């Protein structure tokens, strides 16, 4: 029977993952305020976005396996406190340089937390619902991004102190959760090799490598779509539809990420390969519908396309994650999760940075279309790979059945 402390620890970790991921999307709806106040150009805002992703990726490459050696809780405490520091810094930001520094600190903090939190959640799985940890690892990030964007957009539009209040609220929540880590049991025994684990590397266990290659396209497509909606699509509200409401921008992000989270919960009992097919099809259809309705200047169509894209974002990330986690031993979970997020955040950040660099030369809508085409191409390649893998598996299964029938027939002949 699982102890009350173990159950409480599981939910504390889930809450910390939620708040940490939500805090990463909080600055997005505030960028227009910063841009107007400090005369920031689109290129400068792209640099702020890129520096966060760079800090997160470097940290995951260096420290992604650290909690497999020193334990989860030391890494969680360090990452949680550093994230609180970054939010405090945001409240006093006074220009472009301060914003860059704040985002670097935030990226490093989230990079420390994300792999360790996901692994700790699985380490402390609920005995009555052992699969729930894997489901939450995939479903919490989309829900969290939606919550961060909507709450930030609402406070910027209607609340007092739009450049401070939301950071104070999330910082206070994180402090409470860091203190609550005292309750969480430590499931990882310290083992040697902590310093050696800090060598920058993408660590994929041998048992997971073939599957990782097969599902990488789905990770790329789903998180590139997330980057599209957090970096460019909300700008379409102003550039194409003339809507400059900060809450509307957060709400549009929430359509994608919220539907993604609901999709992750809805498919938890569905076969993972079927879930992956569903996600890949939605990742092809969603961007096509979204971009088409931007060209057509149809706001309802844009919302419909965003919802379809959200299905792809949820299933296209949730299904591969569940498949990969099923192949990893406990001592390799944090490293594997960090590798998943390295691929995901590269797809999340690099296309958005490229789009920001080329937008002045080509224009907003053509760049949006090119970005959507990249997502569709990645999803289409991943879908073809999955269909080929399924066909190969079916051929192997039929061959095995034929061998078994032959062997059975031979035994019968000898017996006769």
């Amino acid at each position: 029977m699982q102890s009350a402390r173990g159950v409480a620890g599981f939910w504390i970790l889930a809450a910390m993952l939620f708040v940490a991921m939500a805090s990463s999307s909080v600055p997005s709806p505030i960028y227009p305020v910063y841009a107007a106040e400090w005369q920031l150009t689109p290129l400068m805002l792209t640099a702020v976005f890129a520096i966060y992703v760079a800090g997160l990726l470097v940290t995951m490459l260096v420290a992604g396996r650290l909690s497999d050696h020193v334990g989860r809780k030391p890494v969680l405490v360090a990452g949680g406190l550093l994230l609180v520091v970054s939010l405090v810094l945001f409240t006093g930001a006074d220009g472009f340089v301060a914003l860059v520094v704040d985002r670097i600190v935030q990226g490093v903090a989230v990079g420390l937390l994300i792999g360790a939190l996901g692994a700790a959640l699985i380490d402390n799985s609920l005995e009555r619902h052992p699969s729930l940890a894997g489901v939450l690892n995939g479903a919490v990030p989309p829900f969290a991004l939606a919550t961060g964007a909507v709450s930030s957009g609402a406070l910027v539009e209607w609340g007092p102190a739009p450049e401070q209040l939301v950071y104070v609220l999330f910082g206070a929540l994180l402090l409470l959760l860091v203190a609550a880590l005292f309750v969480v049991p430590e499931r990882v025994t310290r083992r040697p090799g902590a310093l050696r684990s800090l060598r920058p590397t993408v660590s994929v266990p041998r048992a997971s490598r073939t599957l990782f290659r097969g599902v990488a396209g789905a990770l790329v497509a789903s998180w590139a779509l997330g980057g599209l909606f957090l970096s460019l699509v909300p700008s379409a509200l102003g550039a194409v539809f003339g809507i400059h409401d900060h809450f509307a921008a957060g709400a549009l992000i929430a359509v994608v990420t919220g539907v993604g989270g609901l999709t992750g919960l809805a498919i938890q009992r569905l076969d993972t390969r079927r879930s992956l097919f569903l996600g890949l099809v939605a990742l092809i259809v969603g961007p096509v519908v979204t971009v088409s309705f931007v060209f057509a200047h149809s706001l309802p169509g844009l919302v419909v396309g965003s919802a379809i894209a959200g299905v792809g974002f949820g299933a296209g990330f949730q299904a591969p994650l569940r498949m990969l986690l099923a192949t990893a031993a406990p001592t390799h979970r944090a490293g594997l999760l960090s590798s998943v997020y390295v691929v995901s955040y590269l797809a999340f950040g690099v296309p958005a940075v490229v789009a920001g660099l080329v937008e002045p030369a080509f224009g907003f809508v053509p760049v949006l279309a090119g970005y959507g085409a990249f997502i569709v191409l990645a999803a289409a390649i991943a879908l073809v790979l999955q269909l080929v893998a399924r066909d190969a598996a079916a051929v192997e299964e039929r061959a095995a059945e034929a061998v078994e029938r032959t062997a059975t027939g031979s035994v019968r002949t000898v017996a006769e």
Side-chain angles (χ1 to χ4, degrees):
M1 185 72 177
Q2 192 170 17
S3 67
R5 182 186 177 191
V7 174
F10 176 84
W11 290 112
I12 289 168
L13 291 166
M16 192 169 183
L17 177 62
F18 183 90
V19 175
M21 292 299 294
S23 72
S24 69
S25 66
V26 161
S28 294
I30 310 178
Y31 284 157
V33 178
Y34 294 143
E37 186 175 337
W38 302 329
Q39 290 78 51
L40 303 184
T41 65
L43 184 59
M44 294 168 80
L45 290 177
T46 298
V48 171
F49 180 83
I51 205 71
Y52 165 76
V53 175
L56 185 147
L57 287 173
V58 169
T59 304
M60 286 195 295
L61 286 170
V62 172
R65 297 177 294 160
L66 185 61
S67 74
D68 287 333
H69 294 271
V70 303
R72 311 295 187 212
K73 290 172 70 172
V75 176
L76 295 182
V77 170
L81 292 177
L82 189 60
L83 189 52
V84 171
V85 169
S86 76
L87 296 173
V88 171
L89 291 174
F90 272 115
T91 65
D94 58 0
F96 174 69
V97 174
L99 201 57
V100 168
V101 172
D102 298 350
R103 283 297 263 176
I104 290 173
V105 177
Q106 189 180 40
V108 171
V110 175
L112 275 174
L113 285 171
I114 197 166
L117 274 170
L121 203 60
I122 297 169
D123 296 341
N124 291 274
S125 293
L126 298 178
E127 290 181 0
R128 291 187 177 182
H129 304 285
S131 64
L132 184 59
V135 172
L136 291 181
N137 261 308
V140 164
F143 274 130
L145 291 173
T147 302
V150 169
S151 59
S152 179
L155 288 172
V156 169
E157 189 65 28
W158 299 305
E163 296 172 46
Q164 289 84 32
L165 182 58
V166 67
Y167 298 120
V168 171
L169 292 175
F170 275 93
L173 283 173
L174 275 166
L175 271 180
L176 289 173
L177 290 167
V178 170
L181 288 173
F182 175 78
V183 176
V184 180
E186 176 62 81
R187 307 293 188 187
V188 173
T189 303
R190 285 177 176 264
R191 60 191 180 98
L195 288 177
R196 192 165 56 250
S197 76
L198 296 177
R199 288 181 306 181
T201 183
V202 175
S203 174
V204 179
R206 186 179 300 276
S208 308
R209 288 175 188 171
T210 300
L211 178 60
F212 192 92
R213 288 192 293 268
V215 301
L219 299 174
V220 168
S222 59
W223 279 84
L225 184 137
L228 172 67
F229 275 86
L230 262 74
S231 63
L232 281 188
V233 170
S235 300
L237 292 175
V240 179
F241 300 100
I243 299 172
H244 300 283
D245 186 288
H246 299 299
F247 179 74
L252 187 60
I253 293 171
V255 169
V256 179
T257 53
V259 169
L262 290 172
T263 301
L265 294 177
I267 64 172
Q268 61 178 300
R269 298 188 184 280
L270 190 66
D271 174 74
T272 51
R273 198 163 291 278
R274 290 183 179 179
S275 300
L276 182 55
F277 285 138
L278 169 67
L280 290 171
V281 170
L283 284 168
I284 293 171
V285 175
V288 171
V289 173
T290 299
V291 173
S292 297
F293 280 114
V294 169
F295 274 102
H297 289 65
S298 170
L299 185 59
L302 172 62
V303 175
V304 170
S306 301
I308 297 171
V311 173
F313 183 53
F317 178 61
Q318 168 80 262
L321 189 64
R322 283 167 54 197
M323 295 164 75
L324 286 166
L325 288 174
T327 65
T331 53
H332 295 117
R333 284 172 183 161
L336 175 60
L337 276 167
S338 292
S339 298
V340 167
Y341 279 109
V342 164
V343 171
S344 300
Y345 270 93
L346 278 171
F348 182 75
V350 172
V353 171
V354 172
L357 291 173
V358 302
E359 189 271 337
F362 294 95
F364 176 79
V365 175
V367 169
L368 184 71
Y371 203 145
F374 169 75
I375 296 168
V376 169
L377 179 62
I381 292 172
L383 183 59
V384 169
L385 289 175
Q386 289 302 312
L387 291 171
V388 169
R390 186 181 67 174
D391 291 343
V395 170
E396 290 178 6
E397 186 176 343
R398 288 195 295 269
E401 289 174 354
V403 170
E404 185 177 348
R405 285 196 300 271
T406 303
T408 303
S410 300
V411 170
R412 286 176 178 169
T413 302
V414 171
E416 290 169 356

